[in-house]
Amino acid sequence: MVLLRPLALLLALVVSELYCLSWFIDVSESQGPGATLQSFSFNCSPYIPTLELLHVQPPTTFFNPPSLTRWQGTYVGKMTLSSSARLDALTVNHYELQLRFTCGNQVTEGRLSVNVQRDPNRDQCAGRFASPAGEIIQVRETVTPRTPLYTLLLPGQGAQMNITSAQDPPYFPGPFSIDGQGQLWAPSQGLKGQAQKVFQLQILVTFGQGRSCRGMLTVKVLPVSSSQVSFPQQAQNITIPENLVPGSKVAQVHARGFDVRYEIVSPVPCRLFSIARVDGVVRTTAPLELAQAPDAAVTRLRVKAFERLRPWDSAELDFQVDVQSVNRWPPRCLPALLATQIPETTPVGTFVNTFTCTDPDSPGSTLDYQLLFHSPASASSLCLRDGVLEVNDTLDCDAPGACLQHTASILVLDSGQPPMTTEVPVLVMVTPVNEFSPTCVSRTFRVREDARPHTLLGSVMGTDLDYPHDSIEYSISGEVHLLGPLDYEMQKSYRLTVLLTDHSQDQDPTCHRSGSCTITIEVEQDVNDHAPECEPPFQELTVYAHLGRSLEVTTVSCRVAQEPQRLAFSYRIVGGNSQSRFSLQGAVLVHNDLMLGPPWPEQSHTYELLIRVADAGPSTPHLSTTATVIVHIVPWRASTGATSIHRTTVPSRMTPLLVTDTEVFWQPEPWFVVVLTVTSALLLLGLGWFLSWLLRGLTQVLQTSSKPTQALLLNSIQGTKGSIEGFVEAPRMETPQAPSSVMSLHHFDGRAQDSREFPFFQTILHLGPLSLQTSSQYLCLPPDIHYLLFP
């Protein structure tokens, strides 16, 4: 048994389409039914594969359908001989098996060529000779004595053959004989007169080492025919394709005659063709691969037709068999896929990618190339020149949908028959390039002076010729907002520079371009936005008034510092004018005592007047301020000097100061707050307990010394006849002094006085040992100590 090496029948499962390939194995004709011809091992995860035998050439039932089993994670397929297999190299020495393998969606076909080789050690008879009926031959009665009638082809060399059956007369005209080459010879007496007789010959074939087999030859004697063998057709040329499998029919010849047989007499031996002895059908016996056997292109055959019983009655026919090359393999290209990326600025005519294609059937032949676009369908940016892909038009990514990937296919066609093609996928990515800087148009915005903060003034619209056109970042917002108040008097226009920077417009994310434009903001209208300021804003005056007279108290002086041209104001008393004793004559405050209603007051009276000063011009809105005037009205008496007014003012020109205070605070953890609260509560409880204990001790001390102290206090009161001095009236802060200061000395008479008569006062006492009685209360004071007492 000849061992067969596993073939990689299904090595290219990742390829979507695989053309039929051929593999060759040799098998001995001695292989019997069930013998394994070929094993295949492959992976097909996670699918369940199938392996099929599509057909066999020449047709036969010698081969079982392939089996498929799973072993240790892989699948093993086997080709075996069927129970009817009887391989005979002399009959058919070549078979073609077409196999199909399916793994999921992948389908692969392959061709397995089986060459049947002679087995020199085969010791059994085969063919019809070994069958029970035996081999039947027909001869004419006119056959020449001692001429070969039949050649028995047996395997092996050096076999001895003998006729063991009886050949006794009168049935046999003489004995038939067979030599060591298997040739059966006619009897020496000939077969004249033996027509219609049948002679059965048992033949023993003996091999070396005691091996032998038996067979039977049956010889039928036919009567003499007067016909003559001839070919009705003339010599002809036959053209066949090279892809015919062994056993394919090439031609059929037919000769006139009786019981005609055919044989090829030239060339001998004929390796590529054979002819059927009975029907004259010429068939191929080997593959006609011109790439492997160039001499098979032209074969001249000479066929001889003869009568079986009269071999000398024969005719010959010459014809030529031309084997035509068949286009079986598509062009092969490297690389099988063209994938690249190019920038949009690539010049026209630049090579994008190159590839090489060859025709396995005809190396060096000319191939045809076609470029087919898939997306976009009608693109003209790429072209194909002499098998080279190059840029044909300007690549532009600055329009929507322009910068994209080009998918196409290069169709490669050979010049064989039938034409075969190969498709090379093409994928070209056009990458964007940041070519242009963003721009914007300088604009002028107008805004009222009283516009509120965050008012939208306008928009700055930048443009960029690169796509996407709105992929722009602004150094200030694309929309200009007012962030603070405007002052027409301080600044009437502002100029801003807007910086524009593009992004996401280049394959390199760090590639940016920038531009700028100027924005002018004009304060459109002078708006009344400053309130009047009075100088001074606060006045305090003391007026000595005469009964029945009007007195000009003061003049309210106001202005707008930012707009000195604004002089029109309105004045109105809005508060403090009780009994309507004051009026305004323009900016002049007048005190009127012409009323005859209430009696003239004997003591001084204070009025706190609020005067509202507002804009009186056409500007809007009308803003106002309030001035405060405190007037102390002192009635005039004969002892009072001339009427006078004492003024106290507060300067109004103060410089505003903006103080920014950053307060740092500490936010403790919740657990710390709980601990601190509990600790503080415990501390307060302890402190309260301590104070209560301290008060109880102090109470006990006071009770112990109360009686001596009371006696001492009574003695001091009885012995003291002086008065307490030192009550001095304290002047009121920021209040005008009266024309004369009054210093009062009050004698303590033991009565309580209302502290409201002395709003702010202090008493300094330098006392010796005494007891002071105030509001019917006793207070013990140690000696030689200065005391500051407040009511």
Side-chain angles (χ1 to χ4, degrees), residues 225-244:
S225 174
S226 60
S227 64
Q228 187 176 2
V229 177
S230 64
F231 287 98
Q233 68 268 30
Q234 300 296 322
Q236 58 182 345
N237 294 339
I238 300 173
T239 302
I240 61 174
E242 67 172 339
N243 62 345
L244 289 180

mmCIF file of all heavy atoms in Angstrom, residues 225-244:
data_model
loop_
_atom_site.group_PDB
_atom_site.id
_atom_site.type_symbol
_atom_site.label_atom_id
_atom_site.label_comp_id
_atom_site.label_asym_id
_atom_site.label_seq_id
_atom_site.Cartn_x
_atom_site.Cartn_y
_atom_site.Cartn_z
ATOM 1 N N SER A 225 -16.499 -13.603 -44.481
ATOM 2 C CA SER A 225 -17.294 -12.519 -45.053
ATOM 3 C C SER A 225 -16.577 -11.979 -46.265
ATOM 4 O O SER A 225 -15.349 -11.901 -46.321
ATOM 5 C CB SER A 225 -17.487 -11.403 -44.035
ATOM 6 O OG SER A 225 -18.137 -10.325 -44.640
ATOM 7 N N SER A 226 -17.359 -11.573 -47.253
ATOM 8 C CA SER A 226 -16.760 -11.051 -48.481
ATOM 9 C C SER A 226 -16.523 -9.555 -48.427
ATOM 10 O O SER A 226 -16.047 -8.957 -49.377
ATOM 11 C CB SER A 226 -17.670 -11.388 -49.673
ATOM 12 O OG SER A 226 -18.950 -10.793 -49.471
ATOM 13 N N SER A 227 -16.904 -8.913 -47.296
ATOM 14 C CA SER A 227 -16.729 -7.451 -47.186
ATOM 15 C C SER A 227 -15.273 -7.097 -47.028
ATOM 16 O O SER A 227 -14.451 -7.915 -46.612
ATOM 17 C CB SER A 227 -17.535 -6.939 -46.004
ATOM 18 O OG SER A 227 -17.036 -7.480 -44.805
ATOM 19 N N GLN A 228 -14.944 -5.785 -47.295
ATOM 20 C CA GLN A 228 -13.598 -5.261 -47.170
ATOM 21 C C GLN A 228 -13.643 -4.054 -46.239
ATOM 22 O O GLN A 228 -14.511 -3.196 -46.349
ATOM 23 C CB GLN A 228 -13.047 -4.866 -48.539
ATOM 24 C CG GLN A 228 -11.584 -4.475 -48.499
ATOM 25 C CD GLN A 228 -11.056 -4.175 -49.887
ATOM 26 O OE1 GLN A 228 -11.819 -4.229 -50.872
ATOM 27 N NE2 GLN A 228 -9.782 -3.878 -49.985
ATOM 28 N N VAL A 229 -12.676 -3.992 -45.313
ATOM 29 C CA VAL A 229 -12.645 -2.918 -44.314
ATOM 30 C C VAL A 229 -12.198 -1.624 -44.989
ATOM 31 O O VAL A 229 -11.192 -1.621 -45.728
ATOM 32 C CB VAL A 229 -11.716 -3.275 -43.160
ATOM 33 C CG1 VAL A 229 -11.633 -2.122 -42.167
ATOM 34 C CG2 VAL A 229 -12.194 -4.539 -42.467
ATOM 35 N N SER A 230 -12.929 -0.524 -44.660
ATOM 36 C CA SER A 230 -12.554 0.799 -45.183
ATOM 37 C C SER A 230 -13.165 1.881 -44.296
ATOM 38 O O SER A 230 -14.167 1.667 -43.605
ATOM 39 C CB SER A 230 -13.038 0.964 -46.640
ATOM 40 O OG SER A 230 -14.456 0.925 -46.683
ATOM 41 N N PHE A 231 -12.534 3.094 -44.313
ATOM 42 C CA PHE A 231 -13.034 4.267 -43.571
ATOM 43 C C PHE A 231 -13.776 5.181 -44.534
ATOM 44 O O PHE A 231 -13.215 5.607 -45.557
ATOM 45 C CB PHE A 231 -11.881 5.039 -42.924
ATOM 46 C CG PHE A 231 -11.292 4.345 -41.732
ATOM 47 C CD1 PHE A 231 -10.132 3.593 -41.870
ATOM 48 C CD2 PHE A 231 -11.905 4.450 -40.500
ATOM 49 C CE1 PHE A 231 -9.588 2.963 -40.767
ATOM 50 C CE2 PHE A 231 -11.352 3.809 -39.397
ATOM 51 C CZ PHE A 231 -10.200 3.057 -39.513
ATOM 52 N N PRO A 232 -15.029 5.480 -44.253
ATOM 53 C CA PRO A 232 -15.754 6.358 -45.177
ATOM 54 C C PRO A 232 -15.314 7.819 -45.085
ATOM 55 O O PRO A 232 -15.446 8.579 -46.042
ATOM 56 C CB PRO A 232 -17.197 6.186 -44.729
ATOM 57 C CG PRO A 232 -17.121 5.809 -43.286
ATOM 58 C CD PRO A 232 -15.859 4.986 -43.151
ATOM 59 N N GLN A 233 -14.821 8.278 -43.921
ATOM 60 C CA GLN A 233 -14.436 9.687 -43.751
ATOM 61 C C GLN A 233 -12.974 9.861 -44.106
ATOM 62 O O GLN A 233 -12.180 8.918 -44.046
ATOM 63 C CB GLN A 233 -14.707 10.194 -42.328
ATOM 64 C CG GLN A 233 -13.828 9.574 -41.261
ATOM 65 C CD GLN A 233 -14.485 8.354 -40.647
ATOM 66 O OE1 GLN A 233 -15.269 7.646 -41.322
ATOM 67 N NE2 GLN A 233 -14.151 8.075 -39.394
ATOM 68 N N GLN A 234 -12.669 11.099 -44.432
ATOM 69 C CA GLN A 234 -11.305 11.468 -44.768
ATOM 70 C C GLN A 234 -10.552 11.883 -43.493
ATOM 71 O O GLN A 234 -11.116 12.015 -42.416
ATOM 72 C CB GLN A 234 -11.306 12.615 -45.787
ATOM 73 C CG GLN A 234 -12.009 12.276 -47.094
ATOM 74 C CD GLN A 234 -11.316 11.157 -47.848
ATOM 75 O OE1 GLN A 234 -10.087 11.053 -47.876
ATOM 76 N NE2 GLN A 234 -12.104 10.288 -48.487
ATOM 77 N N ALA A 235 -9.281 12.052 -43.681
ATOM 78 C CA ALA A 235 -8.454 12.515 -42.562
ATOM 79 C C ALA A 235 -8.934 13.876 -42.086
ATOM 80 O O ALA A 235 -9.316 14.737 -42.874
ATOM 81 C CB ALA A 235 -6.994 12.562 -42.975
ATOM 82 N N GLN A 236 -8.912 14.081 -40.807
ATOM 83 C CA GLN A 236 -9.414 15.322 -40.216
ATOM 84 C C GLN A 236 -8.582 15.713 -39.000
ATOM 85 O O GLN A 236 -7.892 14.872 -38.408
ATOM 86 C CB GLN A 236 -10.878 15.167 -39.822
ATOM 87 C CG GLN A 236 -11.130 14.041 -38.834
ATOM 88 C CD GLN A 236 -12.590 13.864 -38.492
ATOM 89 O OE1 GLN A 236 -13.396 14.738 -38.768
ATOM 90 N NE2 GLN A 236 -12.935 12.749 -37.866
ATOM 91 N N ASN A 237 -8.702 16.983 -38.644
ATOM 92 C CA ASN A 237 -8.042 17.512 -37.442
ATOM 93 C C ASN A 237 -9.095 17.749 -36.366
ATOM 94 O O ASN A 237 -10.158 18.317 -36.630
ATOM 95 C CB ASN A 237 -7.303 18.810 -37.741
ATOM 96 C CG ASN A 237 -6.126 18.604 -38.676
ATOM 97 O OD1 ASN A 237 -5.610 17.484 -38.797
ATOM 98 N ND2 ASN A 237 -5.701 19.676 -39.349
ATOM 99 N N ILE A 238 -8.772 17.340 -35.189
ATOM 100 C CA ILE A 238 -9.685 17.468 -34.056
ATOM 101 C C ILE A 238 -9.033 18.394 -33.021
ATOM 102 O O ILE A 238 -7.857 18.199 -32.673
ATOM 103 C CB ILE A 238 -10.009 16.108 -33.435
ATOM 104 C CG1 ILE A 238 -10.659 15.198 -34.492
ATOM 105 C CG2 ILE A 238 -10.924 16.268 -32.232
ATOM 106 C CD1 ILE A 238 -10.854 13.779 -34.028
ATOM 107 N N THR A 239 -9.804 19.379 -32.550
ATOM 108 C CA THR A 239 -9.315 20.321 -31.527
ATOM 109 C C THR A 239 -10.069 20.080 -30.231
ATOM 110 O O THR A 239 -11.308 20.062 -30.219
ATOM 111 C CB THR A 239 -9.501 21.767 -31.982
ATOM 112 O OG1 THR A 239 -8.803 21.970 -33.229
ATOM 113 C CG2 THR A 239 -8.955 22.744 -30.945
ATOM 114 N N ILE A 240 -9.304 19.925 -29.169
ATOM 115 C CA ILE A 240 -9.899 19.691 -27.848
ATOM 116 C C ILE A 240 -9.260 20.640 -26.838
ATOM 117 O O ILE A 240 -8.117 21.069 -27.015
ATOM 118 C CB ILE A 240 -9.716 18.223 -27.409
ATOM 119 C CG1 ILE A 240 -8.219 17.871 -27.319
ATOM 120 C CG2 ILE A 240 -10.457 17.281 -28.342
ATOM 121 C CD1 ILE A 240 -7.953 16.500 -26.754
ATOM 122 N N PRO A 241 -10.000 20.992 -25.769
ATOM 123 C CA PRO A 241 -9.402 21.844 -24.729
ATOM 124 C C PRO A 241 -8.496 21.027 -23.811
ATOM 125 O O PRO A 241 -8.676 19.827 -23.642
ATOM 126 C CB PRO A 241 -10.604 22.408 -23.971
ATOM 127 C CG PRO A 241 -11.659 21.383 -24.159
ATOM 128 C CD PRO A 241 -11.441 20.770 -25.513
ATOM 129 N N GLU A 242 -7.573 21.704 -23.196
ATOM 130 C CA GLU A 242 -6.615 21.010 -22.335
ATOM 131 C C GLU A 242 -7.194 20.606 -20.989
ATOM 132 O O GLU A 242 -6.574 19.861 -20.244
ATOM 133 C CB GLU A 242 -5.386 21.901 -22.100
ATOM 134 C CG GLU A 242 -5.689 23.154 -21.289
ATOM 135 C CD GLU A 242 -4.450 23.923 -20.888
ATOM 136 O OE1 GLU A 242 -3.367 23.316 -20.871
ATOM 137 O OE2 GLU A 242 -4.569 25.123 -20.581
ATOM 138 N N ASN A 243 -8.383 21.105 -20.674
ATOM 139 C CA ASN A 243 -8.947 20.789 -19.367
ATOM 140 C C ASN A 243 -9.805 19.542 -19.370
ATOM 141 O O ASN A 243 -10.550 19.308 -18.417
ATOM 142 C CB ASN A 243 -9.755 21.975 -18.846
ATOM 143 C CG ASN A 243 -10.932 22.319 -19.752
ATOM 144 O OD1 ASN A 243 -10.993 21.872 -20.890
ATOM 145 N ND2 ASN A 243 -11.843 23.135 -19.250
ATOM 146 N N LEU A 244 -9.727 18.729 -20.449
ATOM 147 C CA LEU A 244 -10.460 17.469 -20.440
ATOM 148 C C LEU A 244 -9.831 16.527 -19.431
ATOM 149 O O LEU A 244 -8.598 16.381 -19.380
ATOM 150 C CB LEU A 244 -10.427 16.831 -21.836
ATOM 151 C CG LEU A 244 -11.266 17.523 -22.916
ATOM 152 C CD1 LEU A 244 -11.130 16.762 -24.228
ATOM 153 C CD2 LEU A 244 -12.719 17.609 -22.507
#
